[in-house]
Amino acid sequence: MPLRKLFTAIPNLLLKLKPCLMMSPLSVSMFLVSDNYEFDMVIFDEASQINTENALGAILRGKQVIIAGDNKQLPPTNFFNSTSSDNDFDSNDDDDDGQDVFESVLDESRLFPACTLRWHYRSRHEHLIAFSNAKFYRNNLITFPANVERIPDNGVEYAYVPTGVYDRGGKTGNVNEAARVAELVFSHFEKHPNRSLGVIAFGEAQQQAIDTVIRRIRKQQQQFEPFFDESREEAFFVKNLENVQGDERDTIIFSIGYARDPQGKFLMNFGPLNRSGGERRLNVAITRAKYNLKLVGSILPDEIDVDRVSSDGPKLLRAYIDYAMHGPGTIMREIIEPSTIQHDSPFESAVYTFLESKGYKIRTQVGCSGYRIDMAIKHPTISGRNVIGIECDGATYHSTRTARERDRLRQSVLEDMGWTIYRVWSTDWIKHPDVEGQKLVNAIDAAINGYTVNRPESSPSNSVVHEYVQLADKERDAINPYGLGHYTQTLLQPNGSNVKGMDEYISEIIQNEYPVHADILFERVNAAFGSSYSKQDMRRKLNTTLAFVDDIVSKDEFYYPRGYTSIIPRAIDNTRTIEHISLDEIAAAMLIIITKTYGITKEELFKVTRDAYGYQRSGNRIQEAFNQSFDLVMGSGQVKEIEGKLRKI
């Protein structure tokens, strides 16, 4: 259960809690002196991942304790300790003794009073949760059907990569599958620019393979850089199974990675999935998406031999691949749309007969879980779209415990998911069938006539990306993801060959282009005023003029406006050699790039800066200038290097 939902449920109580701290359980034990800190309430979120021994210190400080979590999600684990790696799983052992999995404080608290939250809100398409509901939660979750059927980029899909090869025992993962994932990432940005996106991989090797391909494409197609902005509310990520719990995105791309090795051999070994509790990791991964999950794999269901494995993880993976390929009908005892017309009451049957006589295309009992919409009207021309849902006061309506639940909450959730809901009351229908029937027809016709596919994919892909970039930052050029300035020459018509005219021209050049190297300034002034002078005389005249210009200052052969406070790196369309660009300007460019990236290395920073200024390769002079500029950046106190990654303080 996400902590924010718990906070919503008890806001008045939380306002009274003083002091209020948010810390990890282990931090509470380490940093809070027990005599000085006591709390009216202690709340644990994601309790399935908290070891009991780490939680005791926080529990002892609280008068009341709420332990929130899901025992079908990740247990505590030391999966990424130095003794564990992707290579640990490339053995022929199908089973694992589970020594890395420990009991959590959530498991320990089973004897306490419990409250189960059954309504599932995250998934905006029911297919995203139907598998977990059937296989992990015994169909106890109340889920809500989507107002769209099985259409592209909604629900669960499988992208098969027949050429995928897994580097078993190596560090490159499945490169072909990683390339397919990267292709889907950038296709997503074009078709759905307003949807958030995350990528999940089974292990670190596949995570690194995907990240490498994406970074290479980013360098080639820099118009997509706005989508990688780390400051976005739901920023793009590439993570593995062990650290994705708690994250959610509109679309999730889930890469299996494991496949046949270069020799064509396929071991029944799926890394962390083979471990005890591995099925929980699968459950976490497949429930992160709100609208769409794209499962990417290089294997087909029948390639997973369930007779060779005893753990549940690989068996459920086989079932989930089949589910992604063929839909919810593959789940035993789960039927999304009955083959025969079903009604809860004669009243619903009468409404259905009336609508059928009007020629509407009707679905009945729409949904996968215990809660279903009585009827839905399909759009007459747009495939896969339900324009309106019809609720009758039948068995589903009367089975709810409270009036608030049946009359307000369920309809509110459905409308939030995009449904238009119309309720037909049995008493009104019996008394005035003609009047109520006409009202129903009017509501359906209004829904059809007013229906619009209000989704990003309805626009042409190229224009969508362009419009999104413009909306994100009107100043940002499509080939300039970091917002660096453009280098343009100040070409003014001088007002004569006198000292005053040259003075004005010099001031304007420096104001528009600073820092300006002395050689560039001379070339510009000589082109405008030097027709009557030799170069030697023109240089003396320039020096004389510079002595009388009091609104400029010089530093290391570069000129600046007096009193300037910042420097604009003029990297785009640069035509200057590296000697004619000041170290201050390069340092300013580097600082902007570091600010707009997350954890860039020094080598990557130099490459990005070089590319921004338009240099094809890094010679000795460029490397020396970059090193000196980098020293200025680090000396400014605005950047720290943490584990080889540069980050703005």
Side-chain angles (χ1 to χ4, degrees), residues 231-245:
S231 65
R232 300 176 68 180
E233 183 177 356
E234 290 189 341
F236 171 79
F237 67 74
V238 180
K239 295 185 178 182
N240 56 59
L241 284 178
E242 299 303 314
N243 53 23
V244 76
Q245 182 163 316

Side-chain angles (χ1 to χ4, degrees), residues 213-279:
V213 178
I214 289 176
R215 287 183 178 274
R216 183 168 64 244
I217 297 176
R218 286 174 62 181
K219 292 180 180 179
Q220 298 169 352
Q221 301 185 41
Q222 295 189 7
Q223 69 270 24
F224 291 102
E225 283 303 304
F227 298 99
F228 297 94
D229 185 355
E230 293 288 339
S231 65
R232 300 176 68 180
E233 183 177 356
E234 290 189 341
F236 171 79
F237 67 74
V238 180
K239 295 185 178 182
N240 56 59
L241 284 178
E242 299 303 314
N243 53 23
V244 76
Q245 182 163 316
D247 288 310
E248 59 181 48
R249 295 294 185 269
D250 294 333
T251 297
I252 290 290
I253 300 174
F254 182 19
S255 174
I256 297 173
Y258 298 102
R260 296 184 181 276
D261 62 18
Q263 288 73 42
K265 186 177 181 180
F266 182 45
L267 297 180
M268 295 298 104
N269 199 303
F270 299 93
L273 210 63
N274 284 76
R275 292 188 160 221
S276 176
E279 69 279 0

Side-chain angles (χ1 to χ4, degrees), residues 243-534:
N243 53 23
V244 76
Q245 182 163 316
D247 288 310
E248 59 181 48
R249 295 294 185 269
D250 294 333
T251 297
I252 290 290
I253 300 174
F254 182 19
S255 174
I256 297 173
Y258 298 102
R260 296 184 181 276
D261 62 18
Q263 288 73 42
K265 186 177 181 180
F266 182 45
L267 297 180
M268 295 298 104
N269 199 303
F270 299 93
L273 210 63
N274 284 76
R275 292 188 160 221
S276 176
E279 69 279 0
R280 301 188 194 180
R281 294 176 168 87
L282 179 65
N283 185 38
V284 169
I286 64 178
T287 55
R288 300 300 96 198
K290 301 177 190 176
Y291 290 93
N292 182 216
L293 186 141
K294 297 182 187 296
L295 183 66
V296 184
S298 306
I299 54 177
L300 295 173
D302 56 6
E303 294 183 72
I304 300 178
D305 187 354
V306 296
D307 294 331
R308 291 173 53 191
V309 293
S310 57
S311 55
D312 291 334
K315 297 176 182 178
L316 286 170
L317 176 62
R318 170 178 172 147
Y320 191 70
I321 295 174
D322 193 21
Y323 173 83
M325 294 175 66
H326 302 110
T330 61
I331 303 175
M332 291 186 301
R333 299 181 302 278
E334 288 295 320
I335 303 174
I336 185 170
E337 187 172 1
S339 56
T340 59
I341 304 301
Q342 296 184 1
H343 304 295
D344 282 342
S345 66
F347 166 51
E348 287 183 27
S349 178
V351 175
Y352 177 87
T353 302
F354 171 78
L355 293 174
E356 189 178 38
S357 68
K358 298 295 182 181
Y360 296 116
K361 298 178 181 179
I362 313 167
R363 297 176 64 198
T364 62
Q365 297 299 303
V366 180
C368 298
S369 70
Y371 173 71
R372 302 178 184 233
I373 295 178
D374 296 327
M375 282 170 273
I377 303 300
K378 299 180 181 181
H379 197 283
T381 58
I382 304 177
S383 177
R385 304 284 177 163
N386 300 313
V387 296
I388 191 170
I390 300 170
E391 294 264 77
C392 301
D393 55 346
T396 301
Y397 177 81
H398 291 293
S399 65
T400 52
R401 295 174 299 174
T402 65
R404 177 173 177 264
E405 182 177 336
R406 65 175 177 256
D407 289 333
R408 189 173 69 84
L409 293 181
R410 289 195 306 199
Q411 182 162 336
S412 176
V413 172
L414 290 169
E415 288 174 346
D416 186 54
M417 294 179 66
W419 280 97
T420 297
I421 298 296
Y422 185 89
R423 187 173 298 279
V424 183
W425 300 103
S426 57
T427 53
D428 293 337
W429 187 272
I430 294 171
K431 291 179 180 178
H432 308 287
D434 295 337
V435 174
E436 295 303 318
Q438 188 58 47
K439 288 181 180 178
L440 178 57
V441 168
N442 293 341
I444 295 173
D445 291 343
I448 293 174
N449 295 332
Y451 189 84
T452 58
V453 184
N454 187 23
R455 291 172 19 167
E457 65 266 27
S458 62
S459 303
S461 59
N462 292 336
S463 63
V464 166
V465 174
H466 179 65
E467 291 171 8
Y468 180 83
V469 172
Q470 285 186 325
L471 289 174
D473 185 353
K474 293 182 180 180
E475 300 295 327
R476 181 174 290 161
D477 193 294
I479 60 171
N480 180 22
Y482 304 102
L484 303 179
H486 287 254
Y487 178 69
T488 55
Q489 298 183 9
T490 306
L491 300 176
L492 301 179
Q493 294 296 326
N495 55 8
S497 58
N498 51 61
V499 173
K500 182 178 179 181
M502 189 181 295
D503 180 347
E504 293 174 349
Y505 191 33
I506 290 171
S507 294
E508 192 146 9
I509 292 173
I510 295 173
Q511 185 66 44
N512 292 341
E513 304 177 26
Y514 74 92
V516 181
H517 193 274
D519 289 346
I520 291 181
L521 185 61
F522 172 77
E523 291 174 1
R524 202 77 56 75
V525 173
N526 185 61
F529 293 90
S531 59
S532 303
Y533 300 91
S534 65

Side-chain angles (χ1 to χ4, degrees), residues 120-248:
H120 178 80
Y121 294 93
R122 173 186 295 150
S123 301
R124 317 295 288 181
H125 196 292
E126 197 174 19
H127 292 187
L128 295 168
I129 191 61
F131 184 89
S132 290
N133 195 16
K135 300 297 184 180
F136 293 94
Y137 300 108
R138 300 181 180 180
N139 290 310
N140 286 327
L141 293 181
I142 296 175
T143 63
F144 296 88
N147 67 329
V148 296
E149 299 176 43
R150 193 174 173 87
I151 62 175
D153 302 327
N154 278 271
V156 182
E157 302 171 293
Y158 188 56
Y160 178 51
V161 184
T163 59
V165 176
Y166 179 60
D167 181 24
R168 185 166 63 89
K171 293 293 184 181
T172 60
N174 188 331
V175 177
N176 290 342
E177 187 173 309
R180 177 61 175 145
V181 170
E183 179 184 340
L184 291 173
V185 167
F186 289 92
S187 174
H188 169 90
F189 292 148
E190 288 188 334
K191 294 194 294 182
H192 309 282
N194 295 321
R195 281 190 187 180
S196 58
L197 175 66
V199 177
I200 304 173
F202 260 81
E204 281 190 299
Q206 188 64 8
Q207 176 188 358
Q208 293 299 324
I210 294 169
D211 189 62
T212 299
V213 178
I214 289 176
R215 287 183 178 274
R216 183 168 64 244
I217 297 176
R218 286 174 62 181
K219 292 180 180 179
Q220 298 169 352
Q221 301 185 41
Q222 295 189 7
Q223 69 270 24
F224 291 102
E225 283 303 304
F227 298 99
F228 297 94
D229 185 355
E230 293 288 339
S231 65
R232 300 176 68 180
E233 183 177 356
E234 290 189 341
F236 171 79
F237 67 74
V238 180
K239 295 185 178 182
N240 56 59
L241 284 178
E242 299 303 314
N243 53 23
V244 76
Q245 182 163 316
D247 288 310
E248 59 181 48

